Amino acid sequence: MTSKSPVYINNMALINAMGFEHESLLHKLRIGDCSGMKPYDSKLTGHNFLVGKVTQQLPNLPSHLQHHNTRNNRLLLHCLQQLDTTLSDLLNTYSKSRVGVVMGTSTSGIAEGERALSQYMEEESFPDEFDYSQIQMSSPAEFVADYLGLKGPAYSISTACSSSGKVFASAQGMIQNDLCDVVIVGGADSLCDMTLNGFNSLEAVSSELCQPFSTNRCGINIGEGAAIFILSREPSEIELLGTGESSDAHHISAPHPKGDGAAEAMVMALKEAGLNSDSIDYLNLHGTATELNDSMESQAVSRVLGSDTPCSSTKPLTGHTLGAAGATEIGICWLLLQQENSHFLALHQYDGDFDPELPPINLVSEQTAAKPPKIVMSNSFAFGGNNVSVIIGRTQR
């Protein structure tokens, strides 16, 4: 069998309820800073939610791209502007027909669609600035490609909460099969009433800060955000080591109760990376704080990685960013690998009352002694049992 060429992560940018500046984000991960979680009044439902909201001012789209004008795409533009130097260097090196785009999303421009429909119901006309293409799932990928003037493959993945984790598997295949030299991947989701009402109707939303793996957990907090990565064959400090995808198809909205599909994705990622379970220095859990997800994920983690691998859920800090969750949390893993002057792992922020009905897992606490992380894994699980695990690591391990 011919060995596959390595795929490197040349740079990364993100924005979420914690902010966007890397050093500040690392500090908040270290102390478990949940101050980005804010109250949100839903006009559609009449309910008040606790959400992870982006408070930074977002850039405006250029005039020729106004048909792409959604909050999701402005979140992505904020990330693109952070990556301007790296993108310029790559685009000056490679043909724009050899640069691909794969974005994950679950909301796309639904918030703009909600506002447009509200006006139509009152005035029988849509807003002048509303374009139907804004609510299509393809919008984030098309925006990034149009903004950068790219001519390579560009598409979105929408598999709910695993969307922007799966983009890494797609990009890896595109580069290793010589379809592209560079692939820009990531995800974006913004707050909208449809999502909040949908999860609320499933009785899956917590009115208080979520408590992953706690006896007292009672649901998720929705969040918004975006993250973008640049993947290529150009050697870099961080390498994409392995991806694993599975679909247990147990239920339309509930995972397999024993985590069979989740475990399969983790095992596949380890196998592709040529690693054993002892190689993982840190695992970013999907960790939604719903009863079923935490139960099945703890079983899968215990089965595949054992009870010693340090792990945490960062959703109490960002909210569950849904279609952007995979990229957001792989971005957090990337930040942990980039540490130079200190070595710590993301704190698992919860009430400390671990559910004794769950298999024991090593949740990161303030007392966790962390060696410099060199190889890390991130899990993302979605409706329908659509699962993905991604492993990234430092090139000199």
Side-chain angles (χ1 to χ4, degrees), residues 117-149:
L117 184 58
S118 178
Q119 177 177 314
Y120 184 84
M121 293 176 69
E122 293 179 3
E123 304 177 13
E124 296 187 352
S125 66
F126 289 110
D128 291 339
E129 66 273 14
F130 176 67
D131 190 301
Y132 181 78
S133 66
Q134 293 170 347
I135 67 175
Q136 294 177 324
M137 293 302 168
S138 57
S139 176
E142 290 175 353
F143 162 67
V144 172
D146 288 352
Y147 178 76
L148 297 173

Side-chain angles (χ1 to χ4, degrees), residues 25-69:
L25 286 168
L26 278 168
H27 175 69
K28 291 179 179 180
L29 290 167
R30 183 172 195 168
I31 65 174
D33 186 341
C34 303
S35 61
M37 305 301 293
K38 306 290 185 183
Y40 176 90
D41 290 313
S42 168
K43 295 180 181 178
L44 178 67
T45 67
H47 291 291
N48 182 268
F49 298 92
L50 184 66
V51 303
K53 183 172 177 58
V54 171
T55 57
Q56 283 77 20
Q57 183 173 353
L58 299 178
N60 294 318
L61 271 61
S63 57
H64 70 286
L65 295 177
Q66 285 302 301
H67 60 291
H68 288 304
N69 189 18

Side-chain angles (χ1 to χ4, degrees), residues 15 18 33 41 88 90 92 102 105 130 152 163 170-171 175 183 213 257 264 278 291 293 314 318 326 332 395-396:
I15 183 169
M18 290 194 294
D33 186 341
D41 290 313
S88 295
L90 287 170
N92 286 330
V102 190
T105 189
F130 176 67
S163 301
S170 295
I175 292 172
V183 184
F213 302 96
E264 183 181 4
D278 294 337
E291 181 177 352
N293 179 87
T314 48
T318 64
I332 287 170
T395 51
Q396 295 181 349

